[in-house]
Amino acid sequence: MIFFIAVMAVALVFLVRRFRVVPGRHAFVIERLGVPQDRPLRSGLHFIWPLCRIARQVSLMQSQVEKISDVKTRDDAFIRIQWVLRYAVNDTPEGIMAYAYKVEEPVKRLVFKVENEIRQIISGMTMDELYRQRDTIAEQVMSDQEDDAQESGVKIHGVTIEQPMPPEQVQVAMNNKLAAIARKEAAEAEAEAERVRRVGIARAEAESKRLQGEGIANERKAIAEGFRDAMQKLQEGLPEASSQEILALLLSVNENDMVTTASQTGKATVIFVPRSMDYATAQAAMREVRT
């Protein structure tokens, strides 16, 4: 009786230990006598039949690998670049089985291939291109490695290329280059502003002179038209007078108007030169007035 109880107790312990709980977002791969079973155990309570064992526990949660790699650019700059790989095991029976049996250490293999491709892509870029095209590098890596990762039961959720970390001397050289470019752009902008300012001044002066010329021309035109109208009216009123006499009368009227205008200010000196006087005589008269 005691032996029977002992056997029953051992059997009960054995049976209890065959019950296993699979945590959430996990899967257990089962083998029976070394032969993998097609359907892995999913989350929940399961009974592991005799002659079966849990060959592998697979996490279905998203994971990431962070790594720093030494790379060389096309312009022979040796820099360190940090990148992040986000991945997860395909949540299908086929994906779980491929992850467990297709490749030994599939994640390690994927990280190795991603790192090699990042190095290869960057080797064809300059330092400036690397800073500007980090997203392009990540997209190309995902596109090239996606199919191979799927065969190993892994799905790539993203690749992130962090800010490159060049050596200190490279950073100094880049800062000097950027400063020189900024100074050049500032000088070009200043020169362009000065050119625009000078063009504006020249255009304004040209416009001012044009308007002055038009004003003088219009003034002379008005004077000529006034003389013409005056002569016509005088000829109509004095038909017996000749053109020379009428012109002399108009000049006398203009001289009287100038005297009247000058007398209003009290600061002008008016000198009348007889119309019959030649140039030399007029010059001599001016010298005599100065003395």
Side-chain angles (χ1 to χ4, degrees), residues 48 51 149 187 190-191 217 274:
I48 309 299
L51 304 180
E190 185 176 354

Side-chain angles (χ1 to χ4, degrees), residues 101-207:
Y101 293 103
K102 183 77 173 181
V103 177
E104 186 175 1
E105 297 184 344
V107 174
K108 184 176 180 180
R109 175 175 177 270
L110 177 61
V111 170
F112 176 78
K113 296 191 69 175
V114 168
E115 183 177 34
N116 279 347
E117 182 161 5
I118 289 175
R119 285 187 175 132
Q120 181 179 358
I121 295 172
I122 293 177
S123 66
M125 291 183 170
T126 63
M127 178 76 73
D128 293 338
E129 292 172 343
L130 172 58
Y131 274 87
R132 294 195 305 267
Q133 301 181 23
R134 287 179 296 160
D135 293 340
T136 304
I137 298 173
E139 292 174 359
Q140 183 175 344
V141 171
M142 286 187 59
S143 176
D144 293 344
Q145 298 298 327
E146 186 174 12
D147 292 340
D148 185 74
Q150 289 280 5
E151 292 181 2
S152 301
V154 179
K155 179 176 178 57
I156 300 176
H157 287 274
V159 176
T160 302
I161 307 297
E162 301 291 345
Q163 187 79 2
M165 297 176 289
E168 183 177 357
Q169 60 271 24
V170 176
Q171 293 185 29
V172 172
M174 291 181 64
N175 290 335
N176 292 337
K177 179 181 178 180
L178 293 175
I181 293 174
R183 288 194 298 269
K184 178 183 176 182
E185 292 178 349
E188 290 176 350
E190 185 176 354
E192 179 65 15
E194 179 65 17
R195 184 189 70 81
V196 172
R197 186 182 69 83
R198 290 180 179 272
V199 169
I201 292 175
R203 288 177 178 174
E205 291 179 351
E207 181 67 15

Side-chain angles (χ1 to χ4, degrees), residues 12 14 39-40 42 67 72 81-82 131-132 146 163 238 240 249 267 288:
L12 181 61
F14 175 78
R39 301 188 64 82
R42 311 306 289 267
K67 193 167 184 180
K72 177 186 176 183
I81 190 167
Q82 183 175 356
Y131 274 87
R132 294 195 305 267
E146 186 174 12
Q163 187 79 2
L238 300 171
E240 69 280 1
L249 177 60
K267 298 180 180 179
E288 183 176 352

Side-chain angles (χ1 to χ4, degrees), residues 18 28-41 47-56 97 101:
R18 301 303 295 177
F28 287 0
V29 177
I30 304 299
E31 290 183 358
R32 177 179 295 168
L33 297 177
V35 179
Q37 303 301 296
D38 295 335
R39 301 188 64 82
L41 302 182
F47 179 76
I48 309 299
W49 292 97
L51 304 180
C52 294
R53 72 179 186 92
I54 299 174
R56 190 164 186 177
M97 298 304 292
Y101 293 103

